[in-house]
Amino acid sequence: MNIHLAAVAQIAIPFLWLGMVLAISFLETPLKFRAPGITVPLGLGIGRLVFRALNAAELVLAAALTLALLAGNPGTPGGGDLGGAATTVLIAIWTLLVIQVALLRPRLDRRARQLIQGQNPPRSHQHLAYIAAECAKIVLLPTLGILLIHGLLP
């Protein structure tokens, strides 16, 4: 990867990712259930599709950002080396994403399918854990972007 392209990706990806999380998790999701004619089962069905797509996009962005960091200019705080605050924040973001994709979303998906089928599953705190992870990401993503900008500036 070209070093200049890596630098652009390092700056763009965290903020693009932040925009996606804010738009989907904190705008589309709550508004969907207020739309006329949207029932809970229909809203849950839409949500399952949307969050599956969001998580897939997030995995691609996380991988691209990791590659951009590895391909960056070695010796600068933002690239080519593993260490420093930016790497720590990226690892935290990866950890949250893996927890969401591998642990929380499958459980939420299973519960949503039960609700869509008219069953009444027991209450769960998985949804709150997913929201907490999203809130953490909306703090960590701009933090990472700012750290990377700082590391790339002379």
Side-chain angles (χ1 to χ4, degrees):
M1 180 181 280
N2 180 312
I3 290 176
H4 295 294
L5 179 59
V8 169
Q10 288 177 29
I11 294 170
I13 291 172
F15 295 106
L16 171 66
W17 188 350
L18 173 65
M20 291 173 66
V21 171
L22 288 171
I24 291 173
S25 295
F26 296 98
L27 185 63
E28 181 274 338
T29 298
L31 289 177
K32 161 181 57 211
F33 289 100
R34 300 173 92 191
I38 297 293
T39 62
V40 170
L42 184 57
L44 290 171
I46 293 168
R48 289 177 61 222
L49 292 172
V50 169
F51 277 94
R52 186 177 309 128
L54 173 63
N55 289 156
E58 288 182 292
L59 288 167
V60 169
L61 290 172
L65 183 54
T66 301
L67 290 173
L69 285 170
L70 291 172
N73 187 12
T76 64
D81 56 6
L82 294 176
T87 300
T88 302
V89 174
L90 181 61
I91 290 168
I93 293 168
W94 263 110
T95 302
L96 289 168
L97 183 57
V98 168
I99 288 169
Q100 286 180 302
V101 170
L103 296 175
L104 296 174
R105 195 171 50 82
R107 293 174 184 174
L108 289 169
D109 193 55
R110 191 168 33 256
R111 188 169 192 280
R113 280 195 317 268
Q114 290 173 330
L115 288 166
I116 290 168
Q117 295 169 354
Q119 298 172 9
N120 193 13
R123 296 197 57 81
S124 167
H125 294 291
Q126 305 294 320
H127 188 244
L128 295 176
Y130 196 95
I131 293 169
E134 291 292 78
C135 289
K137 284 192 304 192
I138 65 169
V139 171
L140 291 172
L141 286 165
T143 299
L144 178 59
I146 292 166
L147 287 169
L148 294 172
I149 289 169
H150 179 69
L152 292 169
L153 294 177

